[in-house]
Amino acid sequence: MANEQVSGAVADAKIWVTLKGLPLTIRLEWPFHQSTSGADFFVLHGDIRLEGSEGLHAPVAVNLSQTVREVLPSMEPKDAEAPVINALRKEVDRRQIEFVKSGKLLPVPFSSRHYDFKRGQWVFGKATDEVMTEFIERKVYWETNLGGSASKSPLLAKDARNGAPGSGDVIRVWIGDPTEAQYLQTTPEHLLEIAAGLAAQGLLRIDGEWTEATPALMSQTERFESARLQSVQELEKKHAFERG
């Protein structure tokens, strides 16, 4: 149980922004375990919290198929954490996950549809440079607005690397994060190039792989909050229709 508590606390500490502009925290209760239903898959329980809302969240059970299990080096966080987080974000993007104040566990498939066997890589949808630009703006805004977890909390297991910021009042956001690059189907280097363009507009300050928001970015609260509220409304409308 100690491993579950530590891993969950680390995952819960970071803000994960979706392409639709929703800021999430994701708690994963490692490790994966064999399904008790007799089905041929492994399960990882977790909870996705919609930040900026009044306690809306989605308890999930990530169902790892045998096909995907075979391409993972291991089911440990260092190998599985990034694609699991991105699979969950993609399901939120597709409005397949409903956020409620209390709810039953939702099964989420972690299957071969997220993996390109021909190229041997994870695929969550190729983002254009325009989409990446908007994503980085939202990422930096929300991580700064919600407390800068990237600068004050431990990095995820796979993401720990040299150059992480130390303690202090300055909120810094990691743009060279390989999990984000995987989600957008690009490279950390390209994300840094996109961020450099935003820095040239006076919206960011860059230090290596890390950025800081400028007042020009943080003054655009209405734009970011509007995107968040619109996405929440689209989610609620879809699930209300499905409930009839």
Side-chain angles (χ1 to χ4, degrees), residues 17-19 127-141 175 184 186 190-199 201 203-204 217 220 223-224:
V17 177
T18 74
L19 289 177
T128 64
D129 283 3
E130 181 180 0
V131 169
M132 290 184 212
T133 298
E134 187 173 55
F135 175 85
I136 290 173
E137 288 180 304
R138 290 170 173 174
K139 172 182 171 67
V140 175
Y141 173 82
I175 296 300
L184 302 170
T186 187
H190 189 55
L191 289 181
L192 291 169
E193 292 174 3
I194 299 289
L198 291 169
Q201 299 175 40
L203 297 174
L204 305 177
L217 181 71
Q220 299 182 42
R223 177 163 71 96
F224 297 114

Side-chain angles (χ1 to χ4, degrees), residues 68-200:
V68 171
R69 167 67 187 92
E70 291 173 3
V71 302
L72 282 171
S74 78
M75 291 189 291
E76 297 301 314
K78 65 184 179 65
D79 295 313
E81 196 162 50
V84 166
I85 286 171
N86 288 334
L88 291 172
R89 279 197 287 186
K90 183 54 62 176
E91 292 304 302
V92 174
D93 287 337
R94 296 176 63 242
R95 300 198 293 272
Q96 297 301 303
I97 292 178
E98 182 178 12
F99 293 95
V100 293
K101 289 193 175 180
S102 62
K104 63 180 181 180
L105 205 63
L106 175 70
V108 177
F110 182 33
S111 63
S112 56
R113 73 180 177 185
H114 297 306
Y115 195 80
D116 185 335
F117 288 89
K118 183 177 294 185
R119 291 183 289 173
Q121 65 182 40
W122 297 101
V123 288
F124 298 99
K126 176 67 175 175
T128 64
D129 283 3
E130 181 180 0
V131 169
M132 290 184 212
T133 298
E134 187 173 55
F135 175 85
I136 290 173
E137 288 180 304
R138 290 170 173 174
K139 172 182 171 67
V140 175
Y141 173 82
W142 283 114
E143 288 200 30
T144 302
N145 180 275
L146 295 172
S149 62
S151 66
K152 297 179 181 178
S153 303
L155 297 174
L156 291 176
K158 185 167 182 170
D159 297 341
R161 61 164 60 175
N162 293 333
S167 59
D169 295 330
V170 176
I171 295 174
R172 306 176 74 197
V173 179
W174 189 21
I175 296 300
D177 186 339
T179 303
E180 304 290 31
Q182 183 187 83
Y183 177 51
L184 302 170
Q185 210 166 321
T186 187
T187 64
E189 292 76 18
H190 189 55
L191 289 181
L192 291 169
E193 292 174 3
I194 299 289
L198 291 169

Side-chain angles (χ1 to χ4, degrees), residues 38-58:
D40 190 24
F41 58 80
F42 293 87
V43 179
L44 177 68
H45 289 164
D47 192 87
I48 309 173
R49 187 164 296 275
L50 179 58
E51 297 300 325
S53 69
E54 296 181 359
L56 295 178
H57 72 120

Side-chain angles (χ1 to χ4, degrees), residues 7-15 25-28 47 49 51 156:
S7 296
V10 173
D12 191 47
K14 187 174 175 65
I15 301 296
T25 50
I26 301 174
R27 183 178 184 86
L28 300 173
D47 192 87
R49 187 164 296 275
E51 297 300 325
L156 291 176

